[in-house]
Amino acid sequence: MICGKKIIAIVLLMSLALGILSAQTTFPEGSVSGTTEMTNSINDIDIPLIDLSIKNPETNQEVAFSIQLMLLLTVLSLAPSILILVTCFLRFSIVLDFIKRALSLQQVPPTAVLNGIAFFMTLFIMWPTFTSMYDNAFKPMADGQIGLEEAYANAETPLRIFMYKQMSDDTDYIELFMNMGGLGRPATLADVPTYVLIPSYILHELTVAFKIGILLYLPFIIIDMVVASILMSMGMIMLPPVQISMPFKLMVFVLVDGWGLLTQQLFNSIIP
């Protein structure tokens, strides 16, 4: 008897649900009839065809163009490193990192800030060289007055002159690379190839930067030694000397206007 009542209840619920669904699918009187079919006035979406084809070169010009394109992409990927190594940015970044370590500073100023200072100092000093490269190489090439090879030669000349001026008093590295390459002793700048001049300049900049860093380290090492001796004589062996000497080094650096002197001396080391 109970099962019969459940069956009757289920049948009533199903009939009620079907009635609700049929009521929802009927449209009210006066409504506009519609259809789900597409009309001819609606066009399909145009999807472009992208085709990438690779074929064998047919002439030597096509081979030369492929090699030039590959070399261009390689140079563009190495452009930041090339600009860092052939300008005074290398010297500035190393010296600023030395002064940070000499002051026993770990996080202040951040490395990004020091690189930013080195970048804008490099831009300030190299601006005449960059201007000469733009006026003699890029602008005439953009105007169609000269070709790519002549533009490269005109852009290379100011940069070679800048690098050679930095090594005019010390040409040991140029002679070193010339001897390793089996080349004769150069008499003028024109006798030094670019592939010899660039590595010679890089090693020269590293040497000069390390010399400046050693000179910057000496006064701060003396402060560290004095503070360590005082702490040892007072029996404070467990107290780190760097923790006490760092404020004294910062006070000395600020009182002598360290940032101004450092910037001026770096500028004078490039342009006497």
Side-chain angles (χ1 to χ4, degrees):
M1 189 68 181
I2 297 176
C3 293
K5 291 182 178 180
K6 290 183 179 180
I7 293 172
I8 294 173
I10 292 173
V11 172
L12 291 175
L13 289 175
M14 291 179 64
S15 60
L16 180 61
L18 291 173
I20 294 173
L21 291 175
S22 61
Q24 290 179 352
T25 54
T26 56
F27 293 96
E29 296 181 359
S31 61
V32 180
S33 60
T35 179
T36 57
E37 296 180 356
M38 297 290 290
T39 60
N40 295 327
S41 61
I42 300 177
N43 299 324
D44 297 334
I45 299 175
D46 295 331
I47 300 177
L49 175 62
I50 300 174
D51 186 14
L52 181 62
S53 60
I54 299 175
K55 64 177 184 178
N56 294 326
E58 299 178 355
T59 61
N60 293 335
Q61 293 181 353
E62 293 183 356
V63 176
F65 176 75
S66 301
I67 295 175
Q68 290 177 358
L69 182 60
M70 181 182 64
L71 293 177
L72 179 61
L73 294 176
T74 304
V75 170
L76 289 177
S77 62
L78 298 176
S81 300
I82 295 173
L83 291 177
I84 288 173
L85 295 177
V86 300
T87 60
C88 52
F89 180 86
L90 181 63
R91 182 186 303 188
F92 292 164
S93 60
I94 293 176
V95 171
L96 291 176
D97 190 71
F98 264 112
I99 194 64
K100 177 181 177 180
R101 296 177 184 274
L103 292 172
S104 302
L105 300 174
Q106 301 296 328
Q107 303 294 334
V108 179
T111 305
V113 174
L114 295 180
N115 289 335
I117 296 173
F119 171 76
F120 283 105
M121 289 178 60
T122 302
L123 190 64
F124 174 73
I125 292 177
M126 298 292 297
W127 190 258
T129 303
F130 291 154
T131 302
S132 178
M133 294 171 64
Y134 175 81
D135 293 337
N136 298 325
F138 181 78
K139 193 174 185 302
M141 185 184 67
D143 295 338
Q145 299 175 1
I146 59 177
L148 181 61
E149 295 182 358
E150 187 177 356
Y152 173 77
N154 293 341
E156 184 186 28
T157 301
L159 201 58
R160 283 172 52 88
I161 293 174
F162 171 80
M163 291 189 290
Y164 188 76
K165 282 183 178 180
Q166 303 306 314
M167 298 183 292
S168 58
D169 298 333
D170 184 11
T171 59
D172 293 339
Y173 290 112
I174 294 179
E175 296 178 359
L176 173 65
F177 281 97
M178 293 289 284
N179 292 330
M180 287 191 298
L183 304 175
R185 182 181 178 87
T188 60
L189 173 60
D191 299 332
V192 182
T194 304
Y195 66 87
V196 171
L197 185 62
I198 291 178
S200 304
Y201 174 77
I202 293 172
L203 293 183
H204 176 268
E205 289 295 293
L206 288 173
T207 303
V208 173
F210 274 75
K211 289 180 180 179
I212 298 174
I214 292 172
L215 295 177
L216 290 175
Y217 249 105
L218 290 178
F220 299 111
I221 288 177
I222 294 174
I223 296 176
D224 287 334
M225 293 175 62
V226 171
V227 171
S229 300
I230 294 174
L231 293 177
M232 289 289 291
S233 62
M234 295 176 64
M236 298 181 181
I237 303 175
M238 302 301 295
L239 186 63
V242 177
Q243 187 175 357
I244 304 300
S245 64
M246 186 177 66
F248 290 100
K249 289 190 288 187
L250 290 176
M251 284 190 295
V252 171
F253 187 75
V254 172
L255 289 175
V256 300
D257 190 17
W259 291 114
L261 290 175
L262 182 63
T263 303
Q264 184 178 3
Q265 293 303 318
L266 286 175
F267 179 81
N268 293 334
S269 66
I270 300 294
I271 305 177

